[in-house]
Amino acid sequence: MDMDADWRLPRPNVPLKVGRRPKGSTLSKIDSIASTFSLLATPLVAEAVERARELSTESDAEGFHQLRVALRKLRALYWAYSPYLGEEATTQASEEFRRLAAVAGETRDWDIAGDLLRVAQHSRASLALLVSAAQDKRAQAVLDSRTLLNSDTVEPFLNDALLRAQTALQACCNDLPIQAFAEERVRLAQRAFMKRSKRTARSETAHEEELHDVRKAGKKLRYLLEFFEPVIKGGHGRAIKALTSVQDTLGQFNDIAASATLIRGESFSAVPPEVVQESLQWLEKQKWRRMRAAARQVRALCA
């Protein structure tokens, strides 16, 4: 579910009412649909809130990345429970998770672009000006992210979204067991992933949009397998490992494609246009090489 509109952040900080288990406990097949949502969502919300707090004083790239990961996992989790949460509630929460993840990702994107440009600089000394400009863009992205990811607004929103979802689920599926539901949601995610993978495998030439679709579908499937592995039938460790490997390759391609898009969409007043163009040409070559590698791995997965 990919939506771009914003959801107005609620101001009041609503305290969470979450039943807690002993540390280290996992999901059980006898748990209800409602209780498993709380067990899975609560640590993700806590992680996102903690990362947002840390970013008010720190600018570590890993902190931005982990915040984005937590928000992406929340989107996948809300998709999984959407049959009981309802389309409107799922859409509203997912839109805001997506927006916040994009804000967190801006700094991370400049980190990745800067790293790629420094690699290119080894053989293209003229890119030094662009590397410096990318560092300035990264610094501005940190300031923007800190403003938009203020924990005084992010924390109330996440707490409120979690409490609303818990209330809705407890009202309709507090007594329904999780196993059959979890297996069905994983099955749907797997079907979507394989459909996109087979479409890519049939293509003689790798297409950027198709690979992006495979990457997003694979990420959702992997998150769901990780969420529900304790309660669904069969061992899924091998599938998670295979998906992680494919995601790594697709992620390398995506980093280059996203960096090219980022640089192409920015203005660099202190950098000659021909230098920017030189960087884009280098990134384009790297992108096609990564695309071919990603397409080969997807085909191997479908064989």
Side-chain angles (χ1 to χ4, degrees):
M1 193 176 295
D2 294 320
M3 287 80 58
D4 298 316
D6 295 345
W7 187 23
R8 183 172 173 268
L9 294 174
R11 300 297 300 183
N13 190 353
V14 182
L16 295 180
K17 299 177 181 178
V18 182
R20 299 197 177 275
R21 288 190 172 194
K23 186 176 181 180
S25 62
T26 60
L27 304 189
S28 167
K29 294 178 182 180
I30 62 173
D31 286 329
S32 71
I33 293 173
S35 65
T36 53
F37 176 86
S38 293
L39 288 167
L40 292 167
T42 301
L44 291 175
V45 168
E47 170 79 6
V49 168
E50 183 61 26
R51 294 296 181 179
R53 287 175 181 163
E54 291 174 353
L55 294 177
S56 64
T57 57
E58 301 176 8
S59 59
D60 178 60
E62 187 62 18
F64 285 102
H65 175 62
Q66 291 302 325
L67 174 57
R68 183 163 60 170
V69 169
L71 291 164
R72 285 173 172 172
K73 287 184 176 181
L74 281 169
R75 287 182 62 210
L77 193 62
Y78 270 65
W79 176 86
Y81 286 84
S82 59
Y84 290 106
L85 290 174
E87 183 177 355
E88 182 178 358
T90 303
T91 299
Q92 286 183 332
S94 296
E95 285 176 350
E96 190 60 15
F97 296 150
R98 178 185 174 87
R99 188 186 73 83
L100 293 172
V103 173
E106 187 176 355
T107 298
R108 174 70 172 168
D109 289 345
W110 279 114
D111 280 320
I112 292 170
D115 288 343
L116 287 167
L117 290 173
R118 277 186 282 274
V119 172
Q121 189 183 353
H122 292 322
S123 58
R124 293 165 173 78
S126 59
L127 295 184
L129 281 175
L130 187 56
V131 170
S132 178
Q135 291 174 335
D136 293 338
K137 295 287 186 182
R138 197 264 186 194
Q140 184 59 52
V142 170
L143 296 177
D144 294 342
S145 296
R146 283 177 175 169
T147 299
L148 295 170
L149 295 173
N150 189 307
S151 60
D152 289 341
T153 54
V154 172
E155 184 174 359
F157 158 69
L158 291 174
N159 286 350
D160 183 76
L162 179 53
L163 185 60
R164 289 186 191 189
Q166 289 172 328
T167 301
L169 292 172
Q170 288 168 2
C172 66
C173 51
N174 200 38
D175 297 323
L176 298 178
I178 184 61
Q179 185 176 12
F181 173 75
E183 289 175 347
E184 176 62 19
R185 299 309 284 170
V186 167
R187 187 158 45 246
L188 287 174
Q190 187 173 34
R191 187 182 304 162
F193 172 70
M194 292 307 299
K195 180 180 179 180
R196 286 160 177 76
S197 297
K198 288 177 180 178
R199 182 188 305 151
T200 298
R202 286 194 297 266
S203 301
E204 294 184 5
T205 304
H207 296 284
E208 192 168 337
E209 289 185 3
E210 289 181 354
L211 288 172
H212 278 308
D213 287 343
V214 172
R215 178 173 170 269
K216 289 186 290 186
K219 190 174 296 183
K220 179 190 288 185
L221 175 58
R222 194 189 88 204
Y223 289 157
L224 263 61
L225 286 172
E226 291 172 346
F227 289 149
F228 296 129
E229 187 177 17
V231 300
I232 56 181
K233 295 177 181 178
H236 296 277
R238 185 178 297 178
I240 292 173
K241 185 176 180 179
L243 284 167
T244 301
S245 178
V246 171
Q247 288 297 307
D248 287 344
T249 305
L250 289 169
Q252 292 170 0
F253 147 68
N254 183 70
D255 286 347
I256 296 172
S259 295
T261 300
L262 191 64
I263 293 169
R264 192 178 292 111
E266 286 289 334
S267 60
F268 302 93
S269 57
V271 182
E274 59 270 22
V275 172
V276 176
Q277 189 58 36
E278 185 180 2
S279 75
L280 292 173
Q281 290 172 351
W282 182 85
L283 287 168
E284 190 69 15
K285 290 180 181 179
Q286 300 303 312
K287 184 182 76 172
W288 280 104
R289 184 169 65 87
R290 294 293 185 182
M291 282 178 65
R292 288 193 291 271
R296 284 195 299 269
Q297 195 163 358
V298 172
R299 292 189 188 103
L301 190 68
C302 294

